[in-house]
Amino acid sequence: MALSFTFASCKKEKEVPVTETETQQTPNKLRYIDANTQQYLEGRHVFLLLGYGYNDESFVEKTKAEITEKFGLKTEEDDGLVEIAVFPNDFLKGSSARISLLYSMLEEENLAGIVILGAPEATNASLARLQDKNDGSYPYPVFSLFPQDDMLGTEATATFVLDYAQKAGLLADEEVENQPDFDADTLIANSIQTMLNPREPIPATEDLLAFVQKIVGPNRTITRYIDTESGLQSQNHFIFE
C-alpha cells in the first residue's frame, strides 16, 4: 500500500550563510539551509528508532556520534534535530519491553519525520494509531528500513519499506543476526536529509522508486518487492541485493 505525503510548496530561497562562530556550533548538515527550511524545522524534530540488528551498544554509540555531528542529537539537555530511541532499552515497562509505548512517546510530538531500522514486531500497530490520530495519514514521512515486523502492516503504515533480497519473504526470527553489508549510518543520514526540505513532496507509486534510489545511493540498485504467493508487485516496498 503506497501512501503519499505532500508538504507545503514554497518558492526557493537563497541559502542563508551563518557567522563563523555559529558555523562552528552548528551541525554539518544544518550549516547552510534556507530561510523556508529553518522556519519549517522550528519546533520540529526527526525521530529515529533503532530496533533489531541495530541496537547493540557499539552501533548505537556510533550512530549517536554521527547524528550529533551531522544534525544535532535531541536529548533532555540538548535541543538537537534528531531524537534516538533504542528497542528494547527505551521501551521497558517493568521488566518487559513494549513497542506499544511508541505511540505515547510520539502522540504529542511535533515531528518532521520518523526513521525506523529493524522495526520490532507490532511496531506497525503503534504507527497505525498515529495515523488514526491524524485522520488516517501522517503530516510527515515514515521510512521503515529492514523491518522485522509484519510486512503488510509495515507497508500500510510507512511511506516506503526498504529491505534486502536475501531476507524478503522470510520469517523475521530467521534473519535477526543476518544483516546486509551496507553502510547503515549513510542510509540514516540520507533518510533524515530528505525530511528537512518541506518544499519537495514525497512521490507515490511510479516515482517513489526513483526517490528511494536516491536515498540508497548509486552503489545499490533497488527493485520493487514482488510477493511470491500472489505475484503482485508492491508500490512502496523495495529490495536490493
Side-chain angles (χ1 to χ4, degrees), residues 3-237:
L3 302 178
S4 177
F5 299 86
T6 304
F7 297 109
S9 177
C10 305
K11 185 177 179 180
K12 184 175 182 180
E13 295 189 5
K14 294 182 179 180
E15 291 182 339
V16 180
V18 294
T19 67
E20 182 176 350
T21 301
E22 289 173 329
T23 298
Q24 292 172 350
Q25 297 174 345
T26 303
N28 292 344
K29 297 292 187 180
L30 304 181
R31 289 181 179 177
Y32 296 95
I33 57 176
D34 62 49
N36 277 334
T37 304
Q38 291 180 23
Q39 183 177 15
Y40 169 72
L41 293 176
E42 185 68 29
R44 288 184 169 90
H45 68 276
V46 174
F47 184 85
L48 172 62
L49 171 59
L50 302 178
Y52 292 134
Y54 303 92
N55 56 3
D56 64 273
E57 184 176 355
S58 61
F59 181 83
V60 171
E61 291 306 311
K62 179 174 177 287
T63 299
K64 285 183 177 180
E66 293 269 354
I67 291 297
T68 299
E69 179 183 358
K70 293 177 180 177
F71 301 102
L73 184 64
K74 180 178 176 60
T75 65
E76 293 182 358
E77 295 78 25
D78 298 308
D79 190 25
L81 180 67
V82 180
E83 178 184 4
I84 296 179
V86 181
F87 186 88
N89 293 356
D90 295 327
F91 294 84
L92 294 176
K93 190 170 184 179
S95 59
S96 301
R98 299 186 180 182
I99 192 61
S100 58
L101 296 176
L102 180 64
Y103 176 77
S104 59
M105 284 182 179
L106 300 182
E107 62 174 329
E108 300 300 330
E109 294 295 307
N110 192 15
L111 298 176
I114 299 174
V115 181
I116 304 174
L117 272 76
E121 184 179 359
T123 301
N124 73 92
S126 290
L127 294 176
R129 291 184 66 190
L130 289 173
Q131 283 180 322
D132 292 342
K133 185 177 184 294
N134 291 281
D135 298 322
S137 64
Y138 314 104
Y140 47 79
V142 176
F143 300 166
S144 185
L145 314 175
F146 316 122
Q148 308 229 359
D149 194 9
D150 172 74
M151 192 52 67
L152 290 179
T154 302
E155 291 176 357
T157 53
T159 311
F160 73 80
V161 182
L162 179 66
D163 216 336
Y164 56 105
Q166 295 94 323
K167 174 177 177 294
L170 298 180
L171 296 176
D173 59 2
E174 294 178 347
E175 293 291 335
V176 171
E177 301 300 327
N178 183 18
Q179 298 302 324
D181 178 17
F182 192 87
D183 184 356
D185 284 314
T186 297
L187 184 58
I188 291 170
N190 290 349
S191 296
I192 294 171
Q193 189 67 41
T194 67
M195 297 176 172
L196 305 189
N197 195 334
R199 298 184 304 279
E200 297 181 2
I202 296 177
T205 62
E206 294 84 1
D207 296 330
L208 186 56
L209 187 148
F211 174 84
V212 178
Q213 182 68 69
K214 288 182 180 179
I215 293 176
V216 172
N219 294 330
R220 301 278 187 167
T221 299
I222 66 169
T223 58
R224 294 186 187 274
Y225 171 71
I226 298 176
D227 183 78
T228 54
E229 294 184 3
S230 67
L232 295 177
Q233 187 179 77
S234 175
Q235 293 298 306
N236 72 329
H237 180 184

